[in-house]
């Protein structure tokens, strides 16, 4: 399995590193031909407004949307979660999301006071807690019926899955704990094996 990491902007390098350490062939995706080469895609944290613009200018917008629609496994973290959501509040009107997972969220929903923080998360299926690193994270306000909530913080979902799509409002690539990447890779392997 080849995993792509969307590398238009933001915190992609650590995802590339973690996936490499887990023994995966990793492709940095900046152009349509690089996307064609991968079986699954990680959308990293960063600035979703900028990433949204770069998705348009690179021509990747439709290519990514088509692959997601066709069931490509995807992991979105923070800004990547925003890009995969159905509805985004507090976004510029020209910012567009893929609607690949049925959740509504608010960009920078934690506000300036608690801008960035760490929280030990109980993740469904994990033994012991997972160190959640939150950086200007989105707040999830609604999850659809088909969405499985795998972890919450302060009553808000922070790790969710629907079909082949997993999203985290925190940065698992920065915690030194690889279990969320491993969980995503297991999911991707299972889905790709069924195709
Ligand atoms: N708040 C940022 C956005 O709107 C996301 C922050 C992050 O990815 N760490 O894109």
């Amino acid at each position: 399995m080849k995993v792509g990491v969307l590398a238009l902007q933001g915190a992609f390098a650590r995802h590339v590193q973690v996936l490499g350490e887990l023994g995966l062939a990793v492709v940095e995706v900046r152009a349509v031909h690089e996307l064609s080469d991968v079986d699954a895609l990680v959308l990293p944290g960063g600035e979703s407004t900028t990433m949204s613009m770069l998705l348009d200018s690179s021509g990747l917008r439709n290519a990514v949307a088509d692959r997601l629609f066709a069931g490509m496994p995807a992991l979105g973290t923070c800004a990547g979660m925003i890009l995969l959501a159905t509805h985004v509040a507090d976004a510029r009107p020209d910012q567009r999301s893929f609607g690949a997972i049925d959740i509504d969220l608010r960009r920078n929903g934690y506000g300036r006071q608690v801008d960035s923080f760490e929280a030990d998360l109980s993740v469904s299926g994990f033994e012991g807690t997972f160190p959640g690193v939150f950086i200007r994270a989105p707040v999830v306000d609604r999850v659809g019926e088909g969405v499985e909530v795998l972890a919450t913080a302060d009553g808000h979902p922070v790790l969710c899955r629907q079909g082949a799509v997993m999203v985290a409002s925190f940065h698992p690539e920065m915690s030194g704990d690889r279990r969320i990447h491993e969980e995503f890779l297991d999911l991707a392997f299972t889905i790709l094996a069924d195709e």
Side-chain angles (χ1 to χ4, degrees), residues 109-193:
Y110 287 99
R112 290 188 189 280
Q113 295 297 319
V114 281
D115 205 274
S116 300
F117 59 96
E118 288 190 33
D120 288 328
L121 305 171
S122 297
V123 177
S124 142
F126 286 7
E127 248 175 63
T129 56
F130 187 94
V133 178
F134 292 80
I135 304 169
R136 291 182 301 110
V139 170
V140 174
D141 287 322
R142 183 197 66 85
V143 299
E145 262 175 36
V147 176
E148 194 183 349
V149 175
L150 302 168
T152 60
D154 290 334
H156 291 280
V158 293
L159 180 66
C160 303
R161 184 181 82 89
Q162 183 175 25
V165 178
M166 246 178 107
V167 290
S169 52
F170 52 96
H171 284 263
E173 79 285 7
M174 288 184 182
S175 62
D177 188 324
R178 298 173 183 159
R179 284 178 293 171
I180 286 176
H181 288 82
E182 287 169 346
E183 191 78 5
F184 171 65
L185 294 172
D186 279 353
L187 173 72
F189 272 121
T190 309
I191 285 168
L192 296 168

Side-chain angles (χ1 to χ4, degrees), residues 44-49 77-80 82 95 107-108 135-138 171:
E47 199 51 60
S48 56
T49 311
T77 60
C78 205
I82 297 173
Q95 179 172 335
R107 283 187 65 207
N108 304 325
I135 304 169
R136 291 182 301 110
H171 284 263

Side-chain angles (χ1 to χ4, degrees), residues 6-87:
L6 189 67
L8 295 172
Q9 189 267 340
F12 58 87
R14 289 290 279 269
H15 280 291
V16 172
Q17 188 189 334
V18 172
L19 293 165
E21 286 167 6
L22 289 171
L24 270 288
V26 191
V27 178
E28 291 186 10
V29 173
R30 296 186 182 83
V32 173
H33 72 273
E34 289 156 342
L35 181 70
S36 322
D37 222 27
V38 304
D39 304 298
L41 185 67
V42 175
L43 293 86
E47 199 51 60
S48 56
T49 311
T50 311
M51 259 190 254
S52 182
M53 279 165 27
L54 292 170
L55 278 166
D56 289 325
S57 58
S58 63
L60 273 167
R61 164 89 53 196
N62 289 341
V64 172
D66 287 350
R67 291 292 306 273
L68 289 169
F69 188 71
M72 171 181 67
L75 169 66
T77 60
C78 205
M81 177 196 226
I82 297 173
L83 290 174
L84 290 169
T86 305
H87 184 260

